[in-house]
């Protein structure tokens, strides 16, 4: 029955980790799961505590620093034409499913409508959804009449 107590401890620590997001309590929950497995194998109470301690130390010394390092890394920056995705542009020549012209970041780009049934008039503001070669695929920012 000690394995069940370890499972309850792991569940409680996991729930507490969910609320705190510190990574410490989650690693301790994992260590409690290790202790539950050891208890299920029939190892005595001393062995269970040793397994708990070894798993907890391993998690806190090895896993936590690696996880924190990955969490603090800056997201990848988009470069080139990928950096234009999500930008706002102004329609210079009517945009349809096959052709059009927009002013994007101070440059004129060929464009086509993301929704093939739309015709976007001159002067409308659009969002760049994707870039296909030298053509921006756009969608209007506001509902068209």
């Amino acid at each position: 029955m000690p394995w069940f107590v370890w499972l309850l401890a792991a569940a409680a620590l996991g729930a507490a980790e969910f609320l705190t997001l510190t990574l410490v309590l989650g690693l301790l929950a994992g260590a409690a799961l290790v202790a539950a497995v050891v208890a299920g194998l029939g190892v005595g109470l001393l062995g269970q505590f040793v397994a708990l301690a070894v798993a907890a130390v391993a998690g806190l010394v090895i896993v936590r620093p690696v996880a924190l390092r990955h969490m603090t890394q800056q997201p990848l920056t988009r470069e080139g034409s990928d950096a234009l995705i999500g930008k706002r542009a102004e329609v210079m020549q009517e945009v349809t499913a096959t052709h059009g012209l927009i002013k994007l970041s101070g440059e004129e780009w060929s464009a086509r409508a993301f929704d093939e049934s739309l015709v976007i008039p001159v002067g409308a503001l659009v969002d760049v959804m994707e870039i296909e070669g030298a053509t921006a695929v756009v969608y209007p920012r506001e509902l068209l009449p």
Side-chain angles (χ1 to χ4, degrees), residues 30-64:
L33 285 176
V34 169
V37 170
V38 169
L41 293 173
V43 177
L45 192 59
L46 180 61
Q48 295 169 30
F49 278 110
V50 169
L52 176 75
V54 169
V57 168
L60 293 174
V61 171
I62 298 169
V63 176
R64 187 168 189 266

Side-chain angles (χ1 to χ4, degrees), residues 39-102:
L41 293 173
V43 177
L45 192 59
L46 180 61
Q48 295 169 30
F49 278 110
V50 169
L52 176 75
V54 169
V57 168
L60 293 174
V61 171
I62 298 169
V63 176
R64 187 168 189 266
V66 172
L68 289 176
R69 188 170 41 248
H70 283 284
M71 287 173 46
T72 59
Q73 285 180 346
Q74 294 293 323
L76 296 175
T77 57
R78 296 187 294 183
E79 298 176 347
S81 61
D82 286 341
L84 298 174
I85 296 172
K87 296 271 185 177
R88 183 182 343 190
E90 182 181 352
V91 176
M92 305 298 290
Q93 179 185 345
E94 185 177 75
V95 176
T96 66
T98 57
H99 69 281
L101 192 66
I102 61 170

